[in-house]
């Protein structure tokens, strides 16, 4: 407890930003990143993403949906996870702060999306990334802490 306070006081005296966590906030965030391919052509819905399909079908139009990638990360505050999409572009995710209203994730998709998004515990955000083959890549991020 004393060390944390000392570090905060020293950091503030040196003009450093305060850390992105408090003593009772989680120090790590579990982030699940799922890349799906949504196609307008009739076809199956991947059984691994039936629950995701229920959410995505409200936001995107498609006839078939399949998982291309799924990665799980345990990230500390300010730690960056990177994933290469099937198109060759990079996705970077970085938890910045955990508060009562969720975790603030910095998300950067090369040449597409870049911003900070608040995600509540056990909730998801979805991004239509770009055209791919006969449809579109959709990136889904879920945060658990």
């Amino acid at each position: 407890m004393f060390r944390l306070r000392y570090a905060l006081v020293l950091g503030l005296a040196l003009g450093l930003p305060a850390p992105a966590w408090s003593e009772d906030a989680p120090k790590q965030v579990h982030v699940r990143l799922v890349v799906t391919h949504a196609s307008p052509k009739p076809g199956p819905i991947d059984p691994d993403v039936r629950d995701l399909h229920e959410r995505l079908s409200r936001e995107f139009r498609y006839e078939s949906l399949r998982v291309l990638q799924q990665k799980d990360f345990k990230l500390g505050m300010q730690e960056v996870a990177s994933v290469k999409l099937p198109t060759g572009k990079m996705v970077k995710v970085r938890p910045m702060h955990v508060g009562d209203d969720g975790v603030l994730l910095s998300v950067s998709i090369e040449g597409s999306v870049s911003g900070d998004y608040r995600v509540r515990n056990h909730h998801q955000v979805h991004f239509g990334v770009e055209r791919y083959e006969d449809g579109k890549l959709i990136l889904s991020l879920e945060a658990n802490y």
Side-chain angles (χ1 to χ4, degrees), residues 68-144:
L68 300 180
Q69 292 175 280
Q70 185 168 311
K71 302 275 185 178
D72 291 299
F73 300 98
K74 260 236 191 279
L75 301 171
M77 294 302 113
Q78 306 303 327
E79 188 177 351
V80 177
S82 298
V83 173
K84 191 173 196 175
L85 294 173
T87 59
K89 292 185 177 184
M90 293 298 293
V91 174
K92 294 181 182 180
V93 179
R94 176 174 46 105
M96 299 186 334
H97 174 265
V98 176
D100 293 339
D101 53 349
V103 60
L104 184 62
L105 294 177
S106 173
V107 179
S108 173
I109 304 170
E110 186 179 359
S112 181
V113 172
S114 182
D116 301 336
Y117 303 89
R118 182 74 58 186
V119 183
R120 292 186 324 206
N121 197 19
H122 304 292
H123 284 77
Q124 299 174 347
V125 292
H126 311 285
F127 304 94
V129 179
E130 64 183 340
R131 307 238 14 101
Y132 180 70
E133 293 179 351
D134 64 342
K136 186 173 194 102
L137 288 181
I138 299 173
L139 173 70
S140 301
L141 295 171
E142 180 176 341
N144 299 299

Side-chain angles (χ1 to χ4, degrees), residues 26-45:
K27 304 291 188 269
Q28 288 192 322
V29 176
H30 176 256
V31 176
R32 171 165 285 161
L33 182 145
V34 179
V35 178
T36 54
H37 177 248
S39 173
K41 293 183 179 177
I45 302 298

Side-chain angles (χ1 to χ4, degrees), residues 34-39 41-54 56 62-70:
V34 179
V35 178
T36 54
H37 177 248
S39 173
K41 293 183 179 177
I45 302 298
D46 193 323
D48 293 337
V49 289
R50 290 242 180 246
D51 59 330
L52 182 60
H53 164 61
E54 290 177 25
L56 292 179
Y62 57 85
E63 293 294 320
S64 64
L65 185 69
R66 65 186 166 107
V67 174
L68 300 180
Q69 292 175 280
Q70 185 168 311

